[in-house]
Amino acid sequence: MSKKVRVRFAPSPTGGLHLGGVRTVLYNYLFARQHGGDFVLRIEDTDQARFVEGAEQYIMDCLKWCGLEPDESPEKGGPFAPYRQSERKHLYYEYAQKLIDSGHAYYAFDTTEEIEKMRNTYGNDDHKAQYDETTRGYMRNSISLPPDEVVKLLENGTPYVVRIKMPVNQTIRLTDMIRGEVTFDSSLVDDKVLLKADGMPTYHLAVVVDDYLMQITHAFRGEEWLPSAPVHVLLWEYLGWKEHMPLWAHLPLILKPDGNGKLSKRDGDRLGFPVFAMNWTDPKTGEITKGFREMGFMPQAFVNMLALLGWNPGVEKEIFTLDELIMAFSIERVHKGGAKFDFEKAKWFNNQYIHHADNETLAKLAMPYIEDGLKNTGINSRAYDSRLMTYDYLQRVVGLVKDRCTLLPDFWAQAHFFFVTPETIDVAAIKDKWNDQKQQFFSNWAAALEALPEWNEQAIEASCNEHALQAGLKKGDVMLPLRIMLVGGKYGPGVFIIADMIGKEETIKRIKAVHL
Ligand code: GLU
């Protein structure tokens, strides 16, 4: 019987969640759902120096917002708890000891200064400046020092780290689900620290031990982890677990829009688009980095866009619901090469999702932006009629303007005139063609509107046509001025439906307010 599929997302809580991280979550999630497996969230917080307050909660909130919730996590618990590596600290020592006993790892007593000195000896040659077969012989460790001295140092409580002893000239092989067979020359990899002086494991030891203990069957992670893979493969082997090693998939990088290198937070700041899933506030500096959520993306659109950033569905179709993605996803169709991020395309996805969303859903999403807009309009901030803030009204409004909205804040920009009298009127747009005849028409028509027995789109339009005819004007002559009066600018849905929606009193007030 084949093993139950178990995958994991294993972030270190060091800051905002990059869209590449969310894509890793997504591919994990899709794979787990497709195979009826489990999706685990494990927090890799063993590096105390990089730990950032609030980052774990933020990661969990991002997953919630995206609708990609794990089956097991620090918050939810699960059969393999705890899911926070700092709470599993006591587990790792035993495995480090096992590696020492079998000769695959050793104690190293070097101070930071001694390591620094060794590195400096090699000048700028990074490749040579590493703790490995060449250097370990003269550094202070349990391989170079006589056994009795090692015992003494240990008994005296001398601080030490445990390092893996990398073999020399060995080809380490890994079959990656995306890249096929990948080989590494063991001589090029340094003796990585496995256990730190504070007793905490490093990422390398903890990731292997936890993937084993948590029975992970497939491990998807970013391409940037590929150089660490040989260390992990050896640890699986040295710990006697090789047959349980998960199948690896190293996901392609997400590249800058011009394809030149990995997309970073700084690129987002520079080019004016978000790189994080949600706003991230640095707890130390208070600096806020913008997120897709706050920019006004719908999570479904964000997730759909990410799915295609590195995965080719093999069909023309681009819009996929999460359920469709679960059906269609295949790790074999994930590219090897990096995927260029295209913000315009990301916005296109959002526009499509807004366009196809039902008005009820959109009303809920647009509501905070409408409320904020009202708050910010100062003197005009009071919706002039409480009727206009009902849910029913809001649903009709979003239905009328949704095709013009790409990001959720657009709902205020495109619909504010349904709620408040426009603050600025683009009179320049109509000034050239303005004349007494038009002025006369609008004052007559405004008076006639007072007496209009029924107030609806058809009745208002019919009355407008009739009065334009009487004034010797064509309907086309009065449409733009009417739009400018009601909306403030040259945009928005049909003018008569706007008049219908904002009501008789407000329509007449706006017509009368404009004098050229
Ligand atoms: N803790 C690593 C990270 O922060 C996880 C890498 C892996 O999935 O093995 O991304």
Side-chain angles (χ1 to χ4, degrees), residues 7 47 112 134 163 170 202 214 248 316 322 409 414 497:
V7 297
D47 191 348
T112 324
T134 332
R163 288 182 181 270
Q170 195 175 309
T202 59
M214 295 184 177
W248 298 95
E316 287 290 303
L322 195 56
Q414 291 295 331
I497 185 94

Side-chain angles (χ1 to χ4, degrees), residues 176-318:
D176 185 277
M177 294 171 84
I178 299 169
R179 283 149 221 280
E181 191 177 67
V182 189
T183 55
F184 304 87
D185 175 354
S186 68
S187 306
L188 301 180
V189 186
D190 61 338
D191 291 355
K192 293 262 183 287
V193 173
L194 301 178
L195 202 72
K196 290 179 283 187
D198 61 3
M200 272 287 194
T202 59
Y203 158 67
H204 302 294
L205 179 63
V207 77
V208 170
V209 168
D210 284 344
D211 282 350
Y212 171 72
L213 294 178
M214 295 184 177
Q215 297 175 14
I216 299 303
T217 56
H218 299 77
F220 306 142
R221 60 183 181 187
E223 185 185 321
E224 63 273 28
W225 297 103
L226 199 54
S228 301
V231 179
H232 302 167
V233 172
L234 287 181
L235 288 176
W236 279 94
E237 193 183 309
Y238 294 162
L239 286 164
W241 301 333
K242 192 85 191 255
E243 70 199 89
H244 303 291
M245 189 168 84
L247 283 170
W248 298 95
H250 290 87
L251 308 176
L253 294 177
I254 296 183
L255 305 175
K256 297 180 206 292
D258 63 9
N260 265 332
K262 187 177 165 189
L263 180 71
S264 75
K265 175 173 108 59
R266 272 190 309 276
D267 298 316
D269 297 342
R270 185 171 56 87
L271 301 166
F273 56 71
V275 166
F276 289 164
M278 296 179 354
N279 269 14
W280 164 252
T281 311
D282 185 315
K284 286 209 187 83
T285 61
E287 185 203 353
I288 298 175
T289 309
K290 271 257 186 204
F292 280 85
R293 181 177 75 169
E294 289 75 6
M295 264 248 164
F297 275 80
M298 285 172 68
Q300 297 83 350
F302 178 55
V303 163
N304 191 159
M305 177 274 292
L306 282 179
L308 295 171
L309 211 54
W311 168 67
N312 170 10
V315 287
E316 287 290 303
K317 181 176 152 89
E318 289 185 286

